[in-house]
């Protein structure tokens, strides 16, 4: 079951993103998200690798292959998807802080730029750098 997990699972479970290919599940008290399409999952996994790699400097890390701490991972996922949405969006969607359909966004980006490698990562990384997650309870501003 692990190999069908959505690469953007954390972003979807945070309720800040959604995807038409996502199926939520729960085992005991653990919640998760699976992808219904191998192709979509591979495209999202590829995009996430590119986002992590291009954002290394702003995240102040040298190696992104071993995974990132939760806060930095969320910054890459949510900031990256919102940044990509801004690059692809019409004006009303550009201001949105929520990504309605990750799969459709990734497909639109591939169609517009020819490949995920050719995306305007310089602009997207600016959004990752500026992204601040939700603060909890007593957290200081």
């Amino acid at each position: 079951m692990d190999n069908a997990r959505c690469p953007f699972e954390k972003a979807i479970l945070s309720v800040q993103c959604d995807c038409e290919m996502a199926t939520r599940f729960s085992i005991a008290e653990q919640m998760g998200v699976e992808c219904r399409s191998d192709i979509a999952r591979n495209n999202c996994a590829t995009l996430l690798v590119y986002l992590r790699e291009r954002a290394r400097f702003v995240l102040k890390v040298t190696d992104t292959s071993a995974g990132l701490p939760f806060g930095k991972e969320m910054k890459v996922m949510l900031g990256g998807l919102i940044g990509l949405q801004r690059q692809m969006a019409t004006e009303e969607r550009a201001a949105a802080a929520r990504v309605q359909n990750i799969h459709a966004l990734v497909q639109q980006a591939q169609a517009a730029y020819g490949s995920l490698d050719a995306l305007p990562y310089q602009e997207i990384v600016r959004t990752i750098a500026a992204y601040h997650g939700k603060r909890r309870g007593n957290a200081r501003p």
Side-chain angles (χ1 to χ4, degrees):
M1 184 187 324
D2 237 18
N3 60 350
R5 294 295 270 268
C6 172
F8 289 103
E9 177 178 51
K10 292 175 184 147
I12 292 171
L13 290 175
S14 77
V15 194
Q16 295 180 61
C17 295
D18 206 356
C19 182
E20 67 183 299
M21 295 295 170
T23 302
R24 292 173 185 255
F25 68 89
S26 61
I27 299 172
E29 293 185 17
Q30 179 191 7
M31 293 191 63
V33 179
E34 289 180 339
C35 183
R36 292 192 301 263
S37 166
D38 289 339
I39 293 170
R41 184 176 53 258
N42 289 338
N43 287 340
C44 286
T46 301
L47 174 61
L48 190 53
V49 166
Y50 284 137
L51 291 172
R52 285 180 186 139
E53 181 64 27
R54 301 304 201 289
R56 281 187 330 192
F57 180 77
V58 299
L59 298 173
K60 298 178 179 138
V61 296
T62 54
D63 182 20
T64 58
S65 63
L68 296 169
F70 182 81
K72 289 183 180 187
E73 187 71 39
M74 291 300 284
K75 188 174 182 96
V76 168
M77 286 184 184
L78 296 170
L81 288 171
I82 290 167
L84 180 57
Q85 179 169 273
R86 287 181 182 160
Q87 293 302 307
M88 301 307 304
T90 57
E91 274 192 42
E92 75 273 1
R93 276 190 17 203
R98 185 174 196 285
V99 176
Q100 297 292 331
N101 188 344
I102 297 169
H103 176 64
L105 179 62
V106 172
Q107 282 189 310
Q108 180 186 8
Q110 281 182 304
Y113 291 95
S115 77
L116 294 175
D117 188 40
L119 298 180
Y121 286 103
Q122 209 169 8
E123 297 300 319
I124 296 168
V125 168
R126 285 187 187 143
T127 308
I128 293 172
Y131 182 81
H132 295 290
K134 295 179 179 179
R135 299 221 179 251
R136 286 190 174 178
N138 297 345
R140 290 185 215 166

